[in-house]
Amino acid sequence: MIVRPTSLPGVVTIAAEKIADERGHFARVYSKREFSTAGIRADFVLTATSHNARAGTLRGLHYQAPPFAEAKLVSCIAGRAFDVVVDLRRDSRAFGRWISIELSPEQETAVFIPEGCAHGFQTLSPDTVIH
């Protein structure tokens, strides 16, 4: 995994490192050890997918206030999506700022969103699946 910081503190992109052969490829998208080494602290307690039949579907912004705040690891496993993360942490030097990233299976990039940030996306193609 290749972890790259963004302009929002704690928000990083994670690019898969593919191990390929004639059958296809394998790539890790989460490793507790590697996340910890990169300074990413999260205790994921659920996994979900969102299937979106139409291009242009808008979902979000998703945000959970304490004590229900949660970090997210978001990727696109089918289709394409325009994803936005907004820093809502009042004590953050980036409070109110946002970033965007296009997600697709071809890129095999995920975005880690820490507690206190909102997240939403708009699909760019039909049958987009966000994980």
Side-chain angles (χ1 to χ4, degrees), residues 101-116:
I101 181 172
E102 185 175 321
L103 299 173
S104 72
E106 294 76 25
Q107 294 172 344
E108 291 199 41
T109 298
V111 61
F112 174 78
I113 304 162
E115 293 180 3

Side-chain angles (χ1 to χ4, degrees), residues 70-84:
E70 59 184 39
K72 295 175 178 64
L73 182 61
V74 178
S75 63
C76 180
I77 58 175
R80 290 177 34 243
F82 179 79
D83 197 277
V84 174

Side-chain angles (χ1 to χ4, degrees), residues 24-72:
H25 75 270
F26 170 85
R28 290 177 306 180
V29 294
Y30 173 76
S31 162
K32 185 174 185 175
R33 180 180 50 81
E34 290 184 55
F35 271 44
S36 181
T37 299
I40 302 168
R41 307 284 185 260
D43 182 22
F44 296 113
V45 295
L46 68 93
T47 300
T49 60
S50 170
H51 176 262
N52 304 275
R54 294 187 206 108
T57 300
L58 181 64
R59 304 239 188 207
L61 293 167
H62 304 283
Y63 173 79
Q64 296 79 28
F68 306 105
E70 59 184 39
K72 295 175 178 64

